[in-house]
Amino acid sequence: MDRPNPYYVPSKRRPKMTSEAELAAWMLAERTIEDPETGCLYWTGAAVNVGNVYGMVQGTNGVPDYCHRIIGRAYLGLQPDEVIDHVVSRGCSGLGLCINPEHLEPTTQAENIRRGQRWGKVAA
Ligand SMILES: [Zn+2]
């Protein structure tokens, strides 16, 4: 099985959670490792490589979802038509595995692509 997450650690048992806020808090507290240099909080669970590597987790509705989108909805008011930018100017490494809310910002697809070109990285 493909395991694209270099920070992966075997899963602890996940408590039953009904709200996305609860899930997001658990993800940050129990399933991340902090990079002491950048403050990035890297997801330590399952991940997918779709050009950039992103954490995936089963949502409270049972459907797998991107970790950064769950964090975005729970902490940053992410709307369905918005994407999440990993903001390098706030210290983020830009890796898609980071789910530190302080490094993430909801934005439009067009703005994210524009920023990606400015940073010289692939937009995600
Ligand atoms: Zn970060």
Side-chain angles (χ1 to χ4, degrees), residues 22 107 121:
E22 198 180 7
T107 186
K121 67 177 173 68

Side-chain angles (χ1 to χ4, degrees), residues 38-42 86 91-95 98-100 103:
T38 61
C40 283
L41 296 172
Y42 294 128
H86 288 73
C92 192
S93 66
L95 287 181
C98 176
I99 58 168
N100 184 343
H103 287 182

Side-chain angles (χ1 to χ4, degrees), residues 14-30 43 57-61 65 67 69-77 99 101:
R14 172 173 156 180
K16 200 147 195 77
M17 289 174 280
T18 50
S19 82
E20 200 158 62
E22 198 180 7
L23 173 60
W26 174 84
M27 288 164 59
L28 288 167
E30 302 293 336
W43 176 246
V57 70
Q58 189 174 346
T60 50
N61 59 0
D65 199 357
C67 296
R69 292 197 65 85
I70 291 174
I71 296 296
R73 287 195 297 270
Y75 291 96
L76 304 168
I99 58 168

